[in-house]
């Protein structure tokens, strides 16, 4: 191995240790991916207004206008989030949630509150983020069937729990999220939640369990997927678990593999 390669590997190992920053960027990417997908499939129909003083045609026109405004606000929130403008994103999603509530569309409202919780998380408002995600999940409780909105809400709840130091709860929440993702055949979501759970196990000092989880449930499936940031993060988590267990030879090989993949995808070292 060249001196340059060893230097890169050393820099990479130091970067991997910064778990909080790595986790933050991963979640930001995962939330953005989920938002884009949910926007394509989320139900847009709501309940018609029942203001009898208005003619039926006016009621329909007003309903369509509010529905369009809510969808536009949801899209604006997505754009703000992608640009790192989290305060604007939180406000847009709050307004969208309010309008979806007026329509009686609890599913769309729940989705917006779930997204808002992530914007609040990024702003450091953890208690407010926790309130938003609890409201999101409460809206789904009358219809607990597996869905993309439920899976993402649970995924986001786990992130907030981890940030609040509720590590065991986060691990259990992510386990539930993986089950919901599996039920709706969302392989990437299932893998992402499992990778996050492995990180929670490491925070609990359960490095062996973290390694076993990644080896058994993540790595076999990743081989059939195209190279991505998800694969980079899975390799990093596995490398760190092995390193913490004293499995230095395999850890070194896997961290180098993650580094090479990160460079081939032109990702920063602290991805």
């Amino acid at each position: 191995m060249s001196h340059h390669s060893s230097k890169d590997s050393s820099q990479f190992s130091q970067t991997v240790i910064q778990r909080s920053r790595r986790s933050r960027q991963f979640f930001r990417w995962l939330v953005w991916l989920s938002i884009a997908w949910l926007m394509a499939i989320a139900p847009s129909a709501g309940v018609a207004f029942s203001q009898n003083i208005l003619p039926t045609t006016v009621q329909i026109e007003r309903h369509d206008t509010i529905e369009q405004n809510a969808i536009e606000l949801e899209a604006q929130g997505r754009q703000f989030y992608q640009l790192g403008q989290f305060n604007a994103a939180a406000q847009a999603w709050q307004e969208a949630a309010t309008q979806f509530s007026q329509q009686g569309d609890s599913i769309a409202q729940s989705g917006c509150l779930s997204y808002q919780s992530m914007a609040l998380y990024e702003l450091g408002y953890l208690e407010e983020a926790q309130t938003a995600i609890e409201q999101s999940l409460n809206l789904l409780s009358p219809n607990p069937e597996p869905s993309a909105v439920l899976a993402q809400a649970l995924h986001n709840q786990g992130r907030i729990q981890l940030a609040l130091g509720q590590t065991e709860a986060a691990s259990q929440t992510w386990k539930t999220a993986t089950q919901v993702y599996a039920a709706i055949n969302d392989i990437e979501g299932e893998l992402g939640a499992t990778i996050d759970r492995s990180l929670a196990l490491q925070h609990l000092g359960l490095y062996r369990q973290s390694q076993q989880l990644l080896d058994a449930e993540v790595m076999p499936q990743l081989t059939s997927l195209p190279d991505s940031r998800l694969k980079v993060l899975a390799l990093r988590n596995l490398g760190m678990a092995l390193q913490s267990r004293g499995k230095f030879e395999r850890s070194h090989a896997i961290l180098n593999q993650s580094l090479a993949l990160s460079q081939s995808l032109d990702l920063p070292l602290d991805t």
Side-chain angles (χ1 to χ4, degrees):
M1 182 177 296
S2 66
H3 174 72
H4 179 69
S5 177
S6 297
K7 183 179 179 181
D8 281 347
S9 180
S10 176
Q11 292 175 342
F12 179 71
S13 295
Q14 291 298 319
T15 303
V16 173
I17 296 175
Q18 301 173 355
R19 292 191 180 124
S20 297
R21 187 174 181 183
R22 176 192 63 195
S23 178
R24 178 179 295 273
Q25 295 202 2
F26 166 62
F27 275 117
R28 188 175 301 167
W29 165 79
L30 187 59
V31 169
W32 159 241
L33 181 66
S34 299
I35 290 170
W37 183 54
L38 285 174
M39 280 292 292
I41 67 171
S44 59
V47 177
F49 285 94
S50 57
Q51 298 181 5
N52 296 328
I53 60 174
L54 297 175
T56 302
T57 54
V58 176
Q59 290 184 40
I60 294 173
E61 181 179 354
R62 182 175 178 182
H63 169 72
D64 289 344
T65 300
I66 292 180
E67 178 180 319
Q68 184 62 33
N69 288 342
I71 293 173
E72 289 175 355
L73 284 166
E74 191 174 32
Q76 287 174 7
R78 185 173 74 251
Q79 293 170 352
F80 286 136
Y81 190 92
Q82 186 184 22
L83 293 171
Q85 299 176 15
F86 304 118
N87 188 59
Q91 292 180 14
W93 282 327
Q94 178 60 60
E95 292 178 20
T98 299
Q99 293 194 17
F100 280 127
S101 176
Q102 293 172 355
Q103 295 176 43
D105 191 341
S106 60
I107 302 299
Q109 181 188 1
S110 173
C112 286
L113 289 171
S114 178
Y115 303 153
Q116 185 196 33
S117 74
M118 290 295 91
L120 292 169
Y121 171 94
E122 294 290 350
L123 292 167
Y125 300 138
L126 297 182
E127 291 185 3
E128 291 82 357
Q130 185 177 39
T131 297
I133 199 62
E134 288 175 352
Q135 291 175 345
S136 173
L137 287 166
N138 285 339
L139 286 167
L140 298 175
S141 59
N143 182 25
E145 292 298 315
S147 67
V149 176
L150 176 60
Q152 185 61 49
L154 288 167
H155 206 153
N156 292 346
Q157 184 183 41
R159 181 189 183 190
I160 295 167
Q161 288 171 329
L162 186 68
L164 289 169
Q166 302 168 7
T167 311
E168 292 186 9
S171 177
Q172 184 58 47
T173 298
W174 279 327
K175 183 178 181 180
T176 304
T178 62
Q179 295 168 349
V180 178
Y181 279 126
I184 61 174
N185 297 316
D186 183 348
I187 296 176
E188 289 195 8
E190 181 182 358
L191 291 175
T194 304
I195 292 169
D196 295 336
R197 186 176 171 223
S198 76
L199 181 63
L201 291 172
Q202 290 184 33
H203 276 272
L204 291 168
L206 303 175
Y207 299 107
R208 181 178 180 180
Q209 289 91 324
S210 177
Q211 177 201 333
Q212 291 174 337
L213 182 65
L214 291 166
D215 274 332
E217 299 185 22
V218 176
M219 303 314 297
Q221 294 193 67
L222 280 179
T223 58
S224 62
L225 296 177
D227 291 342
S228 65
R229 186 189 300 257
L230 192 68
K231 188 176 291 187
V232 171
L233 292 165
L235 289 166
R236 289 187 181 184
N237 271 15
L238 179 57
M240 290 303 299
L242 289 164
Q243 188 177 83
S244 297
R245 295 192 62 209
K247 309 289 185 178
F248 298 116
E249 184 175 351
R250 188 184 174 202
S251 171
H252 184 71
I254 288 177
L255 289 175
N256 276 330
Q257 183 182 350
S258 181
L259 171 61
L261 179 57
S262 178
Q263 291 175 335
S264 70
L265 296 173
D266 198 26
L267 299 174
L269 288 179
D270 59 353
T271 295

